[in-house]
Amino acid sequence: MKKIAIFASGNGSNFQALLDAVKKGNLQAEVSMLICDRPGAFVVERAETEGVPVFAFQPKEFKEKSEYESHILTLLKESEIELIVLAGYMRLIGPTLLQAFEGRIINIHPSMLPAFPGKDAVGQALAAGVAQTGVTVHYVDAGMDTGEIIDQRVVEIIPGETKNTLQAKIQKVEHELYPAVVQTLLSGKKETLQ
Ligand code: GRF
């Protein structure tokens, strides 16, 4: 079974969707660990409930980013992780992890990239008055939401849409798309992990 590590900072609904897909047999992978940079985040509770080992750290415990990334890298290597799946991880990945896992780190973003990168992509789309936004899964590079796009889905914005209704529609799409993309990548059916 191929092993993945999920990195998350918050609620963890995508973490849960990936776990649920594994349990249903739609994703042939082992979620070997959760890496979390906010020890109080709800995603930590979810992982504990699911019996997924958690490494929760406070970045300020470390002198430099390279130090905590080296620590994480040791854990990833010990567990023979093949793919890093970012799911609401609110931190840029630094050179230590990027070099060690080149082409093997992916992220999900709530817009049709390259539109609306960065924070509050849902709010950005509403403020721009566009008729459509979406969901993107992409490889991670040193930039903010700039890596090569793997797959995308469009989400319509209807009149009277609020941030809450749009967010809910986007998350529903995310919870289907992300496990499917991870499965495709791990099974080597689409783009190979570079
Ligand atoms: C998702 O909308 C994802 O696209 C973005 O962060 C959010 C995480 O949500 N990167 P959750 O913690 O998985 O519920």
Side-chain angles (χ1 to χ4, degrees), residues 2-23:
K2 297 205 168 159
K3 295 174 173 188
I4 65 174
I6 301 178
F7 287 35
S9 308
N11 173 34
S13 70
N14 281 283
F15 171 87
Q16 192 68 55
L18 290 158
L19 251 286
D20 291 347
V22 168
K23 287 195 274 187

Side-chain angles (χ1 to χ4, degrees), residues 71-118:
H71 189 81
I72 292 170
L73 188 53
T74 305
L75 298 172
L76 298 175
K77 284 187 171 161
E78 274 169 10
S79 294
E80 298 176 328
I81 297 297
E82 299 204 26
L83 181 69
I84 296 176
V85 178
L86 307 186
Y89 184 65
M90 305 303 286
R91 200 164 281 279
L92 281 176
I93 301 294
T96 307
L97 283 174
L98 279 175
Q99 275 158 28
F101 274 79
E102 206 193 335
R104 294 188 297 144
I105 309 178
I106 62 172
N107 182 43
I108 189 159
H109 183 78
S111 77
M112 288 293 280
L113 289 172
F116 312 126

Side-chain angles (χ1 to χ4, degrees), residues 1 14 31 36 48 59 67 96 110 141 149 151 167-168 172:
M1 197 62 87
N14 281 283
V31 179
C36 180
E48 283 166 358
E67 234 180 75
T96 307
D141 63 15
I149 291 168
D151 208 349
Q167 177 97 33
K172 190 163 181 286

Side-chain angles (χ1 to χ4, degrees), residues 39-72:
F42 185 54
V43 68
V44 172
E45 261 179 60
R46 292 184 190 266
E48 283 166 358
T49 305
E50 298 289 348
V52 173
V54 177
F55 172 58
F57 66 93
Q58 294 272 14
K60 60 182 181 222
E61 286 166 27
F62 297 87
K63 258 199 322 247
E64 288 171 29
K65 183 171 195 149
S66 60
E67 234 180 75
Y68 72 73
E69 286 205 340
S70 297
H71 189 81
I72 292 170

